[in-house]
Amino acid sequence: VQLQASGGGLVQPGGSLRLSCAASGTIFSIDVMGWYRQAPGKQRELVAGITSAGDTNYAGSVKGRFTISRDNAKNTVYLQMNSLKPEDTAVYYCNAPVIRLTVIKYEYDYWGQGTQVTVSS
């Protein structure tokens, strides 16, 4: 199983980007998927998470600007980022804490490879 993130890039302040992360391989189901970010010299932090039922949570710093969504059939999670600020600059990672491979087999703590988001004029 792999998580493949894409969609990062360079954007001006106030701009938008959409990140995608697709899980591939033999997967029965994934409950929680999320996005984290890590800026230079800082610890990795949770940006947003979403359950398979669509329940979401956000870091206070992005609430109202970022929207997380997912396509369960495609095992893909998205992060729509609007009104971007320079302080949003970081490497963004997708995460799946638990992946159910079969009815009885689980594996834990999958991470995507990271995608760079740079907000600068």
Side-chain angles (χ1 to χ4, degrees), residues 50-96:
I50 186 168
T51 70
S52 57
D55 297 319
T56 60
N57 66 291
Y58 295 92
S61 59
V62 307
K63 199 171 291 185
R65 299 187 297 122
F66 291 10
T67 302
I68 190 170
S69 61
R70 65 187 285 173
D71 183 332
N72 291 330
K74 296 181 178 179
N75 290 317
T76 299
V77 63
Y78 307 96
L79 186 68
Q80 178 67 42
M81 305 184 293
N82 298 330
S83 302
L84 282 160
K85 304 176 181 180
E87 51 263 44
D88 295 317
T89 296
V91 178
Y92 284 69
Y93 299 89
C94 58
N95 170 256

Side-chain angles (χ1 to χ4, degrees), residues 1-3 21 23 27 29-36 50 70 75 77 93-100 107-112:
V1 175
Q2 289 187 328
L3 299 184
C21 176
I27 298 170
S29 65
I30 306 175
D31 185 16
V32 176
M33 300 185 78
W35 288 96
Y36 287 72
I50 186 168
R70 65 187 285 173
N75 290 317
V77 63
Y93 299 89
C94 58
N95 170 256
V98 181
I99 295 181
R100 193 174 185 183
E107 290 192 351
Y108 301 91
D109 205 25
Y110 277 88
W111 291 90

